Each structure stands twice: as C-alpha cells, then as structure tokens.
Amino acid sequence: MSIFEELESEVRSYCRSFPTVFDKAEGSWYTDRDGVRYLDFFDGAGALNYGHNNPYLMDKVVEYIREKGITHALDLSTTAKEAFLTTFRDEILAPRGLDHKVMFCGSTGTNAVEAALKLARKVKGRDTIFAFSGAFHGMSLGALAATSDRASRQSLRGSLNNVVFMPYPYGFNESFDTIGYMRNVLEDDHSGVAKPAAVILETVQAEGGVIVAPEQWLRDLRQLCDDYDILMIVDDIQVGCGRTGNFFSFERAGIVPDMITLSKSISGAGLPMSLLLMRPALDVFTPGEHNGTFRGNQLAFVAGKAAIEFMKETDLLAAVRRKEQIVRDFMTNEILPLDERLSVRGIGLIWGIEFGAIDPALSKKASQRCFENKLVIERAGRQDSVLKPLPALTIPEEDLMKGLEIVKEAVSFVLGK
Ligand code: PLP
C-alpha cells in the first residue's frame, strides 16, 4: 500500500484518475518517478496557462528568492506587490478601459467568490444571489451554494441558502428565452423569488462541461442587470488569463462586469493567488472586513508580473487564437465524424467532447485510454460525460497535435471503431 493510500484522505480525487507518482514537469510535459513522460492536457485545472516551470517566470522567482525577497507578508505593502499591481494596471486593466480596484483574497479561487458574494450582499443589502445551472464556483460554503452539481453539494445538506439557480442557455434551455424568464421572475410579484444582489456566472462553464455562453446572451444579461440594479459578477477563475483568446473571457461580448474573480493562472506558475476586481464604487469593505493570512504570497506576485510580461512579449493571445483554430478544425474534421451522436464545444484552448448522447461513462474510459497512451486529460459536465482538452496556452503546435491524435485514438477506441 502506498503512503497515499495509507495516510492521505479518501477525499483525494485527481490522483485516482492518473495513477502514477509524478516527479518533474517542464512546459507541457510531466515526468513520473520511473522516467515516463506524460503530455499534459489538464494544465493543473487551468492553473498552468504558461506551462510547467516556464523559464521566463521561474527565473524571476528564483532570482527573487536568491535575493532574499520576502515570501510572505500578509497584506503589507511590498515591492513585489507594488510591481505586480503596477503591471496589472498598466498592461491588463488600463488598455481595456477598466478602472476596477483589486482585492487580494485568500489563496484559492473559492475565497475570491466568497468575497464577491459577501461584497454584493453588503452593497445591495439583499440576501439572494442568482447563479446558473451548470455553474461551478468552488467548495467553501458560499461558493458551493452557487455551485450546481449535486455530488458536490450533498455534503452540506441544508446550509446552502440564498442562491436561486436560473437556466443557463444549454441543453433543454438552449431554445428557451432564459433572459425573458429571469425578467419575468423579477417582475412577477408572485414569482416567489427575491430580487438578488448579484448574478454570478462563468461566460464559459468549465466544470459544467465546457458550455460557451452566446455573446448576445451575455450582453442581454448585462442589460438585465442594469435594468434591475443587480450586480454582475463574472467568475473568470478558470477561463480568464488568456484561456479564451482574450485576457478576460467576457471581452468577446463587449461587456464590463461589476466584479470579476481571478485565480488559477493569475500567478502564472501554479502558485496560489486569487483576486477580486470591483468597480471603484463597490469598494466598500472596511479594513480587514474580508481578511486572511495568505493574501500576501510574494512569489505569486513575482511570477504573476512575469506572466503578464511573458504574455505580452510572446503575443500569447494571438497564439491562443491560432491554436484555437487548429483544435476547432481537428474537432470538426477528425472527432465529429467518428460518431454522429458525439458533439464538441469550445473556445480558445478549452474544449469538450460530449459523450452524453451515447453513454456518459465513455468519457471516463476515454480519459483512461489517453492516460495509457501517456496523455493527462480530465472530464467535466453532467455525469462527467465530457472529455475536456485543456492544454497550456504555450503548448507547441506539434505537441498540441500529438495530444489531439491521442484523444482521437481514445475516442475511436471507446466507441469500438
Ligand atoms: N470558479 C471556477 C470557475 C472554477 O473553475 C474553480 C475551480 O475549478 C473555482 C471557482 C474554485 O477555485 P479553487 O479550486 O481554487 O478554490
């Protein structure tokens, strides 16, 4: 029995899907302790957009450590934080005309969601939040209340309060006027639903099965929020930081959310950091009102600044759009023809292959087959029926093709073709 099975809690999850002991990683490749190499189409669940151990980022981190830079500083002002904030303002916010303030939250994404929901309720003096079917926002109490999947929610039983789920435009609801429905809920004094402080959404539901909201729907939702004095919170934790081909995922719709959560790849090096961006008028937490010990990860600031520089210097967003086209073509020309009941969805470098119309369990078999062929790839969606290619944004095109070919082989294999 390994030490993992002997000592580590049964709650461990991803290691069950990828049963080896990983040792090193570089770019888009892991090496396990036996020297076997695995191509990474999972990307630390979106935390490694710039690849493993990106030398541009890591050199800066190593240099900072060597120079005895502070590693942890609560939320004290430091030179590392100053440099990160300056770069974030100059390279990310200002060019997009965003004047949002930046709040450093506890180290994981779920804490930025907690902060956003707490702040929205404080600002509007209302308890209710609207979230969407298919949403994933994290595992702590408030964020989990806004997360839809039954399996994640069941352990909290009765305590998931004050969130009302609205239909996301997908599946049965794709042909339904979901925005009209929401308007009706807000207008009808017998709807039984209280007006919310905020609507929280992912513009691309990632854990929900890679569901890309239509641009017009996003604009209509923004309008609804304006019409009814409801805050719009975009959770960009998984699909921000360039994943969709823009730095922020909502840019494609030309909307500006009132609040934005960022985490995962914002530090660029897999180091924990999470941010809440808010319009200046919403910056009403009193000092320490949303506090926490680990809001000052200086290594994350150093790497995060370097990541933004790297993105600019390598024109990474243009590369994402180029690679998006490669994946789109592959999905259309190589995956879809394998079986007419398959469907594919995606944008940028987040994609999903849907097995739900055949047998949801096939996605697990396909992921296992990929792993046998040395590709790490996860699943998502209803009944985990979606195989989810999520490579690093920096993946070389040759490796991208290599991974896609392994995916194709696995899909054919599980379909018995
Ligand atoms: N929000 C979204 C959209 C996510 O995809 C995730 C994690 O997958 C979270 C929030 C939670 O982030 P964390 O796991 O860092 O708490």
Side-chain angles (χ1 to χ4, degrees), residues 38-331:
Y38 294 83
L39 186 54
D40 187 5
F41 261 29
F42 184 28
D43 201 42
L48 293 160
N49 281 6
Y50 308 90
H52 295 267
N53 283 311
N54 182 310
Y56 184 90
L57 279 58
M58 296 319 278
D59 284 353
K60 303 259 193 269
V61 173
V62 169
E63 187 188 321
Y64 180 83
I65 294 172
R66 210 177 272 130
E67 294 297 316
K68 300 205 169 24
I70 296 163
T71 52
H72 168 77
L74 296 165
D75 75 348
L76 298 177
S77 297
T78 61
T79 50
K81 191 200 273 189
E82 181 178 51
F84 171 76
L85 282 171
T86 305
T87 303
F88 191 70
R89 180 195 61 199
D90 294 349
E91 303 296 343
I92 302 297
L93 296 179
R96 292 167 179 80
L98 301 175
D99 63 351
H100 290 54
K101 299 280 294 279
V102 178
M103 172 176 168
F104 293 98
C105 304
S107 43
T108 66
T110 198
N111 195 258
V113 172
E114 295 293 338
L117 301 181
K118 200 197 262 189
L119 184 60
R121 286 175 168 131
K122 176 172 174 159
V123 169
K124 293 297 177 194
R126 300 176 207 138
D127 297 337
T128 303
I129 301 288
F130 281 2
F132 288 98
S133 50
F136 185 89
H137 296 295
M139 287 283 165
S140 53
L141 189 65
L144 188 53
T147 291
S148 62
D149 93 275
R150 220 170 265 161
S152 301
R153 293 170 65 87
Q154 66 191 6
S155 55
L156 272 159
R157 302 199 180 273
S159 15
L160 300 172
N161 299 322
N162 298 328
V163 175
V164 179
F165 284 88
M166 291 289 144
Y168 203 71
Y170 169 68
F172 180 81
N173 295 314
E174 209 165 337
S175 56
F176 176 59
D177 178 5
T178 53
I179 303 288
Y181 172 75
M182 290 171 74
R183 283 185 181 274
N184 184 256
V185 163
L186 292 164
E187 287 293 335
D188 180 4
D189 64 354
H190 277 54
S191 71
V193 177
K195 179 167 157 170
V199 170
I200 184 166
L201 71 144
E202 300 152 272
T203 71
V204 180
Q205 291 188 331
E207 299 304 308
V210 191
I211 302 164
V212 183
E215 290 173 12
Q216 190 55 48
W217 185 85
L218 293 169
R219 286 190 282 273
D220 291 347
L221 184 62
R222 175 68 270 184
Q223 190 60 52
L224 177 141
C225 289
D226 290 341
D227 292 348
Y228 290 92
D229 182 34
I230 297 165
L231 297 172
M232 176 188 250
I233 305 168
V234 167
D235 180 349
D236 240 3
I237 286 170
Q238 187 156 162
V239 297
C241 301
R243 175 61 59 186
T244 63
N246 289 303
F247 185 84
F248 294 110
S249 71
F250 52 82
E251 290 178 62
R252 68 187 164 97
I255 58 167
V256 177
D258 301 297
M259 297 190 215
I260 304 152
T261 55
L262 286 175
S263 187
K264 292 200 189 272
S265 276
I266 186 64
S267 81
L271 297 166
M273 159 144 82
S274 88
L275 305 182
L276 173 62
L277 313 181
M278 71 206 84
R279 285 191 194 274
L282 305 176
D283 189 18
V284 298
F285 274 142
T286 54
E289 195 175 351
H290 190 85
N291 222 334
T293 304
F294 287 110
R295 296 176 304 132
N297 183 344
Q298 311 296 309
L299 302 184
F301 299 152
V302 172
K305 173 182 185 286
I308 294 168
E309 289 165 3
F310 176 85
M311 179 176 271
K312 187 178 175 191
E313 279 171 29
T314 59
D315 205 359
L316 189 61
L317 296 176
V320 172
R321 294 191 200 115
R322 212 171 42 243
K323 289 178 222 176
E324 166 178 351
Q325 197 52 49
I326 293 173
V327 182
R328 191 178 295 284
D329 290 346
F330 193 90
M331 292 291 164

